Amino acid sequence: AQKVTQAQTEISVVEKEDVTLDCVYETRDTTYYLFWYKQPPSGELVFLIRRNSFDEQNEISGRYSWNFQKSTSSFNFTITASQVVDSAVYFCALVESNFGNEKLTFGTGTRLTIIP
Amino acid sequence: DAMVIQNPRYQVTQFGKPVTLSCSQTLNHNVMYWYQQKSSQAPKLLFHYYDKDFNNEADTPDNFQSRRPNTSFCFLDIRSPGLGDAAMYLCATSNGRRDTQYFGPGTRLTVL
């Protein structure tokens, strides 16, 4: 069965520091999709990125970047020059492509606190 | 802007008093989901609709029901809320099961 592990329960950094959130996944499927979501204190889950298993290209979006490595089954998320508005819980998630398993499996989340 | 809307944002009910939560979408997505999220936990899928087909998770209590009268709307009915049902309820939509799920702002349910 698929599984997503976010070993970092809580991280605190001082504003403007860089921070990396780790995500390790397990799946037997050869085709799958990886996601990151942000959940600020308001509670809404905000979609950040989706990655297909056959596309290992890293991606950068402003201060956000994602490092996808199939060899280590990891999909890490880096925030550069962190800001207070980045404070939130971040969830990594996986969807397999096998019929019947196409459900969003979440990690347990990492609570990120940016200290002004 | 296309979006997922949930009403109300906050709902207070009494122990055992039925409650209905509402979700609507302007994305015209064919799949709609209901999740329950308790404090400091990941969202837990309760059920989803693929078009009109209802798909219940094996561990979802019978106390939870859902209706999808049309593409745009989906309702979560809790027939007899218990104290353990106090949680954030999140609605999401996607254009196919493997596609990105977009979430609404959630309804925070309090059971007195």
Side-chain angles (χ1 to χ4, degrees):
Chain A
Q2 66 270 39
K3 184 180 177 182
V4 177
T5 301
Q6 294 180 256
Q8 304 150 309
T9 306
E10 293 191 27
I11 301 176
S12 293
V13 300
V14 176
E15 195 173 18
K16 296 183 184 177
E17 287 185 353
D18 299 348
V19 59
T20 295
L21 309 183
D22 298 332
C23 173
V24 174
Y25 62 91
E26 295 176 30
T27 177
R28 293 182 181 179
D29 212 347
T30 54
T31 302
Y32 51 89
Y33 309 90
L34 295 165
F35 302 83
W36 276 95
Y37 284 89
K38 173 183 180 181
Q39 190 172 39
S42 61
E44 180 174 357
L45 270 169
V46 178
F47 165 71
L48 295 178
I49 189 172
R50 165 192 166 102
R51 219 66 191 136
N52 302 328
S53 56
F54 44 85
D55 181 4
E56 280 195 77
Q57 231 179 3
N58 292 328
E59 181 153 340
I60 298 174
S61 176
R63 296 184 297 106
Y64 295 172
S65 62
W66 290 269
N67 184 346
F68 176 29
Q69 292 196 339
K70 288 178 76 170
S71 60
T72 55
S73 297
S74 66
F75 186 42
N76 296 338
F77 173 31
T78 297
I79 302 174
T80 58
S82 60
Q83 299 176 3
V84 172
V85 293
D86 297 327
S87 296
V89 178
Y90 290 86
F91 289 97
C92 181
L94 166 75
V95 169
E96 293 183 332
S97 64
N98 279 337
F99 181 76
N101 282 342
E102 303 136 309
K103 301 172 189 175
L104 202 53
T105 298
F106 287 94
T108 50
T110 297
R111 181 177 298 277
L112 175 64
T113 301
I114 308 299
I115 303 166
Chain B
D1 286 342
M3 57 176 58
V4 182
I5 301 162
Q6 290 188 245
N7 286 306
R9 294 293 307 278
Y10 300 90
Q11 176 73 58
V12 180
T13 190
Q14 292 180 333
F15 183 94
K17 185 174 181 181
V19 66
T20 294
L21 309 183
S22 169
C23 177
S24 64
Q25 56 137 338
T26 60
L27 296 162
N28 204 33
H29 285 168
N30 57 350
V31 192
M32 294 187 77
Y33 307 80
W34 279 105
Y35 289 86
Q36 178 193 65
Q37 186 180 25
K38 296 188 175 180
S39 182
S40 301
Q41 296 183 16
K44 178 180 180 297
L45 182 63
L46 295 173
F47 27 58
H48 75 276
Y49 274 94
Y50 191 103
D51 292 324
K52 294 184 179 179
D53 292 336
F54 178 69
N55 298 268
N56 198 27
E57 292 302 296
D59 56 355
T60 297
D62 293 339
N63 199 24
F64 292 86
Q65 304 285 320
S66 185
R67 297 169 283 135
R68 189 180 185 185
N70 54 53
T71 301
S72 301
F73 284 86
C74 195
F75 300 97
L76 170 61
D77 300 309
I78 309 177
R79 292 193 295 189
S80 181
L83 298 179
D85 296 328
M88 173 74 92
Y89 290 88
L90 294 162
C91 174
T93 74
S94 67
N95 194 24
R97 290 193 181 97
R98 301 172 192 171
D99 200 2
T100 301
Q101 292 186 28
Y102 294 92
F103 286 80
T107 295
R108 192 171 296 279
L109 178 68
T110 300
V111 182
L112 302 177

